[in-house]
Structure formats: structure tokens, C-alpha cells
Amino acid sequence: MILFLVVLIALFGALVRTVFGFGEALVTMPLLALISFDLNTSVALIGALGLIVALPGAIRYRVHINVAIVRRLVIGSILGVPIGIFLIKYVDKTIIMRILSVFLMVYGSYCLIRIYRQKTNKPRFQSLFFDYVAGVISGVMGSAYNSHGVPIVVYGTLKKWLVMELRGILQAHFLCVGILVVASQAIAGFWSIEVFELLAIVTPLLFLVIPFGNWLTDHIDNALMIKYVYGLLIVFGMMLFIKS
């Protein structure tokens, strides 16, 4: 039963990533914690699946990828990954996760309220320096909690990236940083035989989940997608708070 639930949760996370472009770890990690699945195995499994799902996503949105932005984000992430590994191994993560969860709920609610009041903010953080800062935060969150997408989504919405540009940058960033994250998790000792066994079960099923997710994406309006993204930030913030 536990094996069945783990596979089901992993596939649900892959579907969320395919449809919305991010968020699989924020869905799967709390659910895996609820069934008392080993934390290190969960981190390694979701990290590997995120890397696998990022490849078709990067190919699908390749024409929307801003290479210069992705390069700066990845450079920042290289600096952030070791910090994240240190945090998960040696620092009590409860306070950090609660701060992040409250921020996500407040930010997502604020953006939704402004949309429904038909108010728009001007793009923020236009200096190229902030690309590196966002990358560092993404690297920390990625290596520690497999949540490297959330900082980039928040940053992209602050900079008013177009939906397709955000998708392209996200998937390219996931692909590059995913390699760093998975390698760092392996070095930190998170990988085991159980992770390989689970990957062998889940990976073939992705050939069903990813096309279905792409079909759903093609039938969601971009304006509606933005509202979904902000709504997901609120939901993920609540899940993170509960988990912490």
C-alpha cells in the first residue's frame, strides 16, 4: 500500500509540474511526509523526477527561453546549492519553512486581490543583479527542499514575464539546476537502492502523465493560468506551513 501511495503521489507531482510549470515538490513532499515516508528518499526521488520532467518541458518551450536570464539564474544557483545542503543537514528547517510558507500565502493573496481589482504593478527588480540573487535563493530551496521553482515563479511575476517566457525560463532553469541538485543530493548520501527501484516504476508511467498534462495546458487560457499560479502559491504556502 505504501509503495502504491508513493507512486501515486510522485505521478501527481509530475502532473502538477507539467500543467503549471512548477510546484511538484510542494505537493509531493508534504504528502509523502503524511504517510511517514523517509525524508532523504523523498528528497532524492522528487529531485530526480523533477529533472526527468524538466527535459520534455525545456524542449516544448525552447523558443521562449531567454538564455541570458537562465545563465544568470544558474550561476546564482551554483552558489546556493551548497547552502541548501548545509541547511537540511545541520539547521532546524521549521522556522525557515514557516517564513517561506507565510510569504507565499501573503504574496499569492496580494497578487490575486490586485488582479480582481484590475490593478497592475510595474515590473520590479529590473537590475540584472537580481537574477543572480533569485538564482541563489532557488539553489538553496532546490537542494534543501526540491523547491527551486517557487523563487523563480515569484521573481518572474514581480518582473512581469509573459506566461510563455516564464514557462520557458522555468523549464530551462529546472533542467540545469536539477542536474546540480540531484548531484548534490547524491553526494550528501540521499540516494539508495530504494530510490532507483521507485524511479524504475514511476518513469515509464510519465509517458502517460506528461502528454495528459500538456493537453490540459493547451486548454487553459493564459490569463486564467496566471490566476491558477497565484492560487497555487497560496495552497503551497498552506501545505508548507502544515508540514513545518
Side-chain angles (χ1 to χ4, degrees):
M1 179 58 71
I2 291 295
L3 176 62
F4 175 76
L5 290 175
V6 170
V7 171
L8 196 62
I9 291 170
L11 292 176
F12 178 60
L15 180 63
V16 170
R17 162 72 85 84
T18 305
V19 174
F20 297 102
F22 76 109
E24 78 285 358
L26 294 177
V27 172
T28 55
M29 295 298 286
L31 292 176
L32 290 172
L34 286 175
I35 62 173
S36 301
F37 196 62
D38 180 70
L39 175 61
N40 286 356
T41 304
S42 298
V43 169
L45 174 64
I46 302 306
L49 287 176
L51 177 59
I52 294 172
V53 175
L55 179 57
I59 295 173
R60 176 179 171 85
Y61 299 105
R62 62 188 182 279
V63 297
H64 303 286
I65 295 174
N66 188 317
V67 177
I69 293 177
V70 173
R71 181 171 61 248
R72 290 189 290 270
L73 292 174
V74 171
I75 291 173
S77 295
I78 293 174
L79 301 176
V81 165
I83 301 174
I85 293 295
F86 175 83
L87 287 176
I88 197 172
K89 289 182 72 71
Y90 301 109
V91 178
D92 183 1
K93 63 183 180 182
T94 301
I95 296 177
I96 297 174
M97 292 185 69
R98 285 186 176 173
I99 292 174
L100 174 63
S101 65
V102 171
F103 170 76
L104 291 178
M105 289 186 283
V106 172
Y107 178 74
S109 301
Y110 170 75
C111 291
L112 280 179
I113 290 171
R114 292 194 67 88
I115 287 178
Y116 284 109
R117 288 184 175 179
Q118 297 183 341
K119 293 182 179 181
T120 57
N121 289 324
K122 294 181 180 179
R124 308 277 182 91
F125 303 110
Q126 293 306 294
S127 171
L128 301 182
F129 168 76
F130 291 109
D131 290 353
Y132 296 104
V133 175
V136 171
I137 298 173
S138 175
V140 172
M141 295 302 300
S143 56
Y145 314 118
N146 284 320
S147 300
H148 39 304
V150 172
I152 305 305
V153 170
V154 173
Y155 181 62
T157 57
L158 288 171
K159 297 197 72 169
K160 300 300 179 184
W161 289 340
L162 298 175
V163 171
M164 298 307 290
E165 183 181 20
L166 177 60
R167 283 183 172 276
I169 292 173
L170 267 177
Q171 300 313 313
H173 177 70
F174 281 143
L175 186 60
C176 297
V177 177
I179 296 173
L180 297 175
V181 167
V182 170
S184 66
Q185 291 169 350
I187 294 173
F190 292 177
W191 279 69
S192 64
I193 296 297
E194 187 177 15
V195 176
F196 287 101
E197 292 174 346
L198 288 169
L199 283 175
I201 297 172
V202 175
T203 301
L205 298 175
L206 294 179
F207 288 98
L208 298 175
V209 172
I210 292 176
F212 177 62
N214 288 333
W215 180 84
L216 288 176
T217 302
D218 292 337
H219 289 76
I220 300 177
D221 178 72
N222 282 345
L224 189 59
M225 179 66 74
I226 287 292
K227 296 178 183 178
Y228 284 156
V229 168
Y230 290 141
L232 276 178
L233 289 179
I234 298 172
V235 173
F236 292 159
M238 294 172 62
M239 295 183 72
L240 265 182
F241 190 85
I242 293 172
K243 177 186 176 183
S244 63

